[in-house]
Amino acid sequence: MVQLYTANHSTTTGITDLIKVILLAGESHGVEIEISDVISSRTVLFIDEFSSRSELKQLLKIKKNKNTNFVLISTEFETEGRYGPSFNEFSEENKNWSLLISWMSLLLYVTPKCLRNLKSLAKVGACFGILIFLPVLVLGGGWRATIGKVRSFKRSVYMKARRRGYEEFKAAADLVIQTHERLTETRAGNVLYPVLVKACELENKKIKVSGTQTSYRLEMCDMFSKRIEQENEKYDFDYDGTIKFDQAGHCEAYGFAYQPAQSKAWERSNPIKIWRDYFLHRALPIVDRKFGDHPIEAIAITTEEFFLGQFDLSSVNNSLACYSKSVNLKNANIFRKIVSLDGVGQ
């Protein structure tokens, strides 16, 4: 039995979709995967989240003592910032800001997760955040801009801390699997592709928004909404000025899903998001641009294609069939390697 260990994640909300992708891909190639918070199998999969040094050391100790095979599922884009490596850092911050993020990430990394949730520490962190971003509010940025800055800062600190532990775990892993072809600049490595068995149905004109809320996404949604109104398009855009992340169990059917990037500097496609809207909502994904870095982009349309009506159900189904055929052999190779580690059938 191959296990997927999830206890390194404080909550599984952010990885629910990826867990489903892994389980479906394994099932399609005859590999049963058990989700567990206890390491008891010979081969264990981990979705990367190693932002706590103490937790990482404990996991590596278990690997050594139990002679367990660790498989790393790598999910974030490796980038190099002004003060060392991070994840998804596509735009460069100013020198002082980068230095602050670097020091805060180190502090976060050495702080055990059990202490991070203490109310006293949370209050100290909140006060510190207010002091940092007070100038944004005072200078007329408004609450929306201020909140966006706070979220961006927290994300940068967390991702840098997460990269610290990731490198150590990666060095000890027996197999590394990527969820995107461009997580590293070389496009090298084993890539796991989302499995889809049924195309979207374009059954209505409702449009949902995909992704967690960021300032840039709000700006793009505002523009998208205005364009629908200006061009008298008969679509129902489910957007009220905020973006609410829908849980995996909420499977309302939509005709389309608008997927603005997280930030203006974002330089990669989001295959899990494209898969999610197809799988959960039978919705045709709409992206502002395609990057040519992942085959699943073929089953999405661009914003311009949407407004020009350059799509139909037949073309959508053909794109899905081509995608499924191309990734099947690649996924089969991934699971052969996992089975080989586990020793099943040997």
Side-chain angles (χ1 to χ4, degrees), residues 287-337:
V287 296
D288 288 322
R289 60 174 290 199
K290 293 186 178 182
F291 299 91
D293 59 10
H294 196 288
I296 204 170
E297 282 188 311
I299 61 176
I301 62 172
T302 65
T303 305
E304 289 305 311
E305 287 172 333
F306 169 74
F307 283 108
L308 293 174
Q310 296 176 341
F311 61 90
D312 56 43
L313 190 57
S314 176
S315 64
V316 169
N317 281 319
N318 288 338
S319 295
L320 176 61
C322 291
Y323 168 77
S324 299
K325 183 178 180 180
S326 69
V327 304
N328 184 61
L329 292 176
K330 297 176 182 178
N331 278 352
N333 184 51
I334 292 286
F335 287 101
R336 275 196 296 268
K337 292 181 180 181

Side-chain angles (χ1 to χ4, degrees), residues 150-264:
V150 171
R151 286 176 172 168
S152 178
F153 178 77
K154 288 174 63 178
R155 189 181 300 113
S156 295
V157 170
Y158 169 67
M159 284 301 187
K160 208 168 188 69
R162 187 166 162 177
R163 181 71 188 271
R164 292 176 185 273
Y166 166 86
E167 289 298 334
E168 189 169 347
F169 188 94
K170 184 179 181 181
D174 299 279
L175 178 64
V176 178
I177 298 172
Q178 299 178 180
T179 56
H180 195 290
E181 297 180 7
R182 292 283 304 277
L183 291 188
T184 59
E185 287 299 327
T186 60
R187 291 199 183 205
N190 306 295
V191 180
L192 177 68
Y193 297 90
V195 174
L196 285 165
V197 295
K198 185 178 180 182
C200 62
E201 299 169 357
L202 302 180
E203 62 182 33
N204 59 53
K205 290 183 176 292
K206 293 178 64 177
I207 308 172
K208 69 182 294 292
V209 181
S210 286
T212 54
Q213 182 169 302
T214 67
S215 297
Y216 181 72
R217 279 201 178 111
L218 291 174
E219 291 175 13
M220 298 308 293
C221 284
D222 289 342
M223 292 173 60
F224 189 84
S225 180
K226 288 178 181 177
R227 187 166 178 183
I228 288 178
E229 294 175 3
Q230 292 170 354
E231 301 190 13
N232 297 315
E233 297 287 353
K234 296 179 180 180
Y235 291 97
D236 179 12
F237 188 28
D238 189 7
Y239 171 70
D240 61 2
T242 61
I243 300 175
K244 304 174 185 66
F245 182 77
D246 57 319
Q247 301 300 317
H250 183 62
C251 301
E252 181 179 351
Y254 285 85
F256 305 86
Y258 179 48
Q259 301 185 356
Q262 184 181 121
S263 67
K264 186 176 182 179

